[in-house]
Amino acid sequence: MIANLVQLAAGEEQNPLLPPGPELLVGTIAFAIVFFFFWKKLLPNINKVLEERRTAIEGGIEEAEAMQTEAQSVLEQYKAQLAEARHEAARLRQEAQEQGATLIAEMRAEGQRQREEIVAAGHSQIEADRKTAASALRQDVGKLATDLAGKLVGESLEDHARQSRVIDRFLDDLDQKAEAAR
């Protein structure tokens, strides 16, 4: 083999950039067969896979945009619900404050009414006690006055009708003197 190469190199001068004709023809036919095989079998499969990837990527992008739009709408709904809940809470607080103020006013009015009832009942009781005490005092004073008058006059004043008239006259005189002194 080395001898053949040396003979070829010594015998002809060939351009190293140009291959011999039969090799060029075989190489071109082989290239055409490989190119045809790639073009008919592999290129459609590669294009199909690339198209599927492009479709998947575009679908994923569209799906992501749709999800982002949906998330944005859910966020807006959430914000609206939150604002509505805050507004409702503020309204409930205001109503509670108003009801509390109304309840306090009602309780004060009820307390005032009860106090006035108690004071009126106390005045009535005091007036009744005063009348009872005055009546008991009249009787005691009348009895003492009758006993004293009976001892002074020397005669018994046991007659109730006469005793009542004397006592009433005596006490009326005392009341008139007390009023005149004022």
Side-chain angles (χ1 to χ4, degrees):
M1 187 147 165
I2 296 179
N4 286 337
L5 286 176
V6 171
Q7 254 181 0
L8 281 173
E12 333 177 352
E13 269 203 44
Q14 233 185 352
N15 187 357
L17 294 179
L18 287 176
E23 282 183 23
L24 186 61
L25 183 64
V26 171
T28 305
I29 292 173
F31 178 76
I33 292 172
V34 171
F35 180 77
F36 181 76
F37 175 76
F38 276 138
W39 186 55
K40 284 293 186 181
K41 295 290 182 185
L42 276 131
L43 191 60
N45 287 339
I46 291 172
N47 284 338
K48 181 181 171 187
V49 169
L50 289 175
E51 184 64 29
E52 287 175 358
R53 283 181 127 187
R54 186 183 60 79
T55 305
I57 289 171
E58 287 177 357
I61 290 172
E62 289 174 1
E63 186 178 327
E65 287 175 353
M67 291 178 97
Q68 186 175 3
T69 304
E70 183 181 344
Q72 187 66 29
S73 69
V74 168
L75 178 63
E76 293 299 323
Q77 288 175 352
Y78 170 74
K79 285 181 180 179
Q81 288 175 351
L82 184 60
E84 184 179 327
R86 285 181 179 158
H87 178 70
E88 182 68 17
R91 185 184 63 78
L92 290 175
R93 271 194 309 272
Q94 182 65 28
E95 284 181 8
Q97 287 175 348
E98 290 172 0
Q99 287 176 353
T102 303
L103 185 61
I104 289 171
E106 289 175 358
M107 295 302 286
R108 282 184 181 159
E110 178 66 20
Q112 183 69 21
R113 186 190 62 76
Q114 287 178 355
R115 184 183 67 84
E116 289 173 359
E117 286 178 2
I118 291 170
V119 168
H123 285 303
S124 298
Q125 184 65 38
I126 289 172
E127 185 63 27
D129 289 346
R130 187 187 67 75
K131 285 183 180 178
T132 303
S135 174
L137 187 60
R138 275 183 178 245
Q139 287 177 357
D140 288 343
V141 168
K143 182 160 177 43
L144 287 174
T146 305
D147 290 343
L148 185 60
K151 287 182 183 177
L152 287 177
V153 173
E155 110 182 37
S156 174
L157 299 174
E158 291 296 324
D159 184 17
H160 285 298
R162 191 167 52 172
Q163 184 180 9
S164 290
R165 282 193 311 266
V166 170
I167 292 170
D168 287 338
R169 210 174 347 145
F170 176 73
L171 290 175
D172 287 339
D173 287 342
L174 284 177
D175 284 339
Q176 287 175 359
K177 288 179 184 177
E179 286 180 14
R182 286 186 200 170

